[in-house]
Amino acid sequence: MPDFIINTDDNVYIPAEDSYLLADNLLIEENQSVLEIGTGSGIVAMYASKLTDKITVTDINFDACQLAEKNFKENGIENIEILFGNLFEPVENRKFDVILFNTPYLPTEDGEVLEDTINYAFDGGLNGRKVIDLFLNEVKNHLNDGGIVQMIQSSLSGNEETLQKLDELGFIAEIADSEHFFFEDITLINAYKI
């Protein structure tokens, strides 16, 4: 795996085990178009840039967009389009071969919501599925036939529910990898659009 210069920002998610679980398992072929939702520091997109040169990233956190741009520049990566906005809003009528998303999967009580933009990286709502379900409802409209979704979530936010929903949407989905932490499993779900 290539080593990158990674600048960080207090308002942007710092790459952690979940970031690398996704980065280490990318299923991207040359010339495929890739969309990463919630790019954060840009780390996953930087790994993706070694595999294809058609990459678009979005983030709802403007600080993240600026940080990702800085990280791409410092690593000499010029083939990534950065768009500011929530989920698929910035790519309304576009489709991609691969869609990546390290979701905000933590179940969050009202008292745990942070006032800063960093909150977007974690806050999954009461059941951890607030953003995951919005993503799943739209993802099919932005994926080419034969495309793949690779998403990270936690056992705390209902892996079975995600697999069932993907199945209902016509995907073939599986837990492709996982890492166990103190009280949860962080899982990588791969879903193929057939």
Side-chain angles (χ1 to χ4, degrees), residues 5-151:
I5 302 161
I6 303 289
N7 296 288
T8 58
D9 179 312
D10 289 344
N11 286 325
V12 180
Y13 186 67
I14 293 171
E17 291 85 353
D18 51 3
S19 316
Y20 292 103
L21 183 60
L22 183 53
D24 290 342
N25 287 285
L26 294 174
L27 297 177
I28 300 168
E29 292 172 22
E30 198 177 349
N31 292 322
Q32 282 190 317
S33 57
V34 176
L35 171 65
E36 186 193 11
I37 301 280
T39 195
S41 67
I43 183 67
V44 172
M46 290 194 276
Y47 279 91
S49 75
K50 300 291 178 198
L51 306 170
T52 186
D53 56 7
K54 297 176 184 166
I55 302 173
T56 300
V57 299
T58 71
D59 208 295
I60 191 174
N61 177 351
F62 191 70
D63 293 330
C65 293
Q66 290 184 305
L67 179 63
E69 184 176 27
K70 180 180 179 183
N71 282 327
F72 298 157
K73 275 197 177 113
E74 288 205 15
N75 288 283
I77 299 168
E78 295 168 2
N79 60 351
I80 301 177
E81 174 188 33
I82 305 167
L83 300 173
F84 169 62
N86 190 20
L87 293 172
F88 296 102
E89 282 170 10
V91 291
E92 209 172 320
N93 299 311
R94 292 168 61 186
K95 288 192 171 191
F96 301 85
D97 298 314
V98 181
I99 296 178
L100 310 171
F101 191 18
N102 183 0
T103 69
Y105 49 71
L106 286 183
T108 313
E109 304 275 338
D110 285 349
E112 297 170 320
V113 174
L114 303 172
E115 293 298 316
D116 296 317
T117 50
I118 186 75
N119 189 69
Y120 290 125
F122 302 101
D123 187 355
L126 284 175
N127 60 0
R129 300 196 58 85
K130 178 173 77 173
V131 181
I132 290 171
D133 287 335
L134 291 172
F135 170 78
L136 293 175
N137 288 339
E138 282 191 70
V139 70
K140 197 172 184 180
N141 304 329
H142 296 278
L143 193 65
N144 290 323
D145 291 342
I148 183 173
V149 176
Q150 293 191 278
M151 59 185 285

